[in-house]
Amino acid sequence: QVQLVESGGGLVQAGGSLRLSCAASKRTFSTYNMGWFRQAPGKDREFVAATSMSGGSTNYADSVKGRFTISRDNAKNTVYLQMNSLKPDDTAVYYCNAVFWPRTVVPGVNWGQGTQVTVST
């Protein structure tokens, strides 16, 4: 069972940037498509971005296109989310997980604890 640990969240002003990281425990990390998701208070968890196993393909939610960039380093078993031009609506707990392309969560992979992103006005 792969273990996922998210980090890099924090408090940032609107217009600022953050880079999130998600470290996976398994050496088979490179065999998973990986995605980022977020959950705001009182809302369902929603898809943000995904990267294919090699990193050669990506897809994004419309709300973050042009502002967020997903990438991965298979040698480090880590997937990243570079977030620029942050808005208050981006405030949420961010999680990563394995996905069936393009964005469906793979059943049975436990969610990590997430990392809180708070964007102030």
Side-chain angles (χ1 to χ4, degrees):
Q1 176 69 283
V2 63
Q3 306 256 339
L4 301 167
V5 179
E6 300 91 348
S7 62
L11 173 63
V12 64
Q13 287 189 327
S17 298
L18 283 173
R19 189 194 195 204
L20 307 184
S21 298
C22 168
S25 61
K26 286 193 93 165
R27 285 183 291 174
T28 54
F29 171 79
S30 63
T31 66
Y32 295 92
N33 301 311
M34 293 297 296
W36 282 97
F37 299 80
R38 66 186 181 186
Q39 188 167 21
K43 295 188 177 180
D44 292 335
R45 186 146 39 196
E46 64 176 2
F47 170 79
V48 174
T51 176
S52 61
M53 296 177 216
S54 68
S57 295
T58 57
N59 72 90
Y60 297 92
D62 287 345
S63 59
V64 306
K65 274 181 187 174
R67 301 188 298 121
F68 290 11
T69 302
I70 188 171
S71 62
R72 67 190 295 162
D73 184 339
N74 286 340
K76 296 182 178 179
N77 289 356
T78 301
V79 60
Y80 304 98
L81 187 68
Q82 177 67 44
M83 306 187 295
N84 298 329
S85 303
L86 282 161
K87 305 175 181 179
D89 284 349
D90 296 318
T91 296
V93 179
Y94 283 70
Y95 303 86
C96 65
N97 211 323
V99 299
F100 292 125
W101 198 255
R103 59 182 65 185
T104 304
V105 176
V106 173
V109 179
N110 292 332
W111 293 95
Q113 84 290 346
T115 186
Q116 175 72 48
V117 172
T118 304
V119 184
S120 64
T121 55

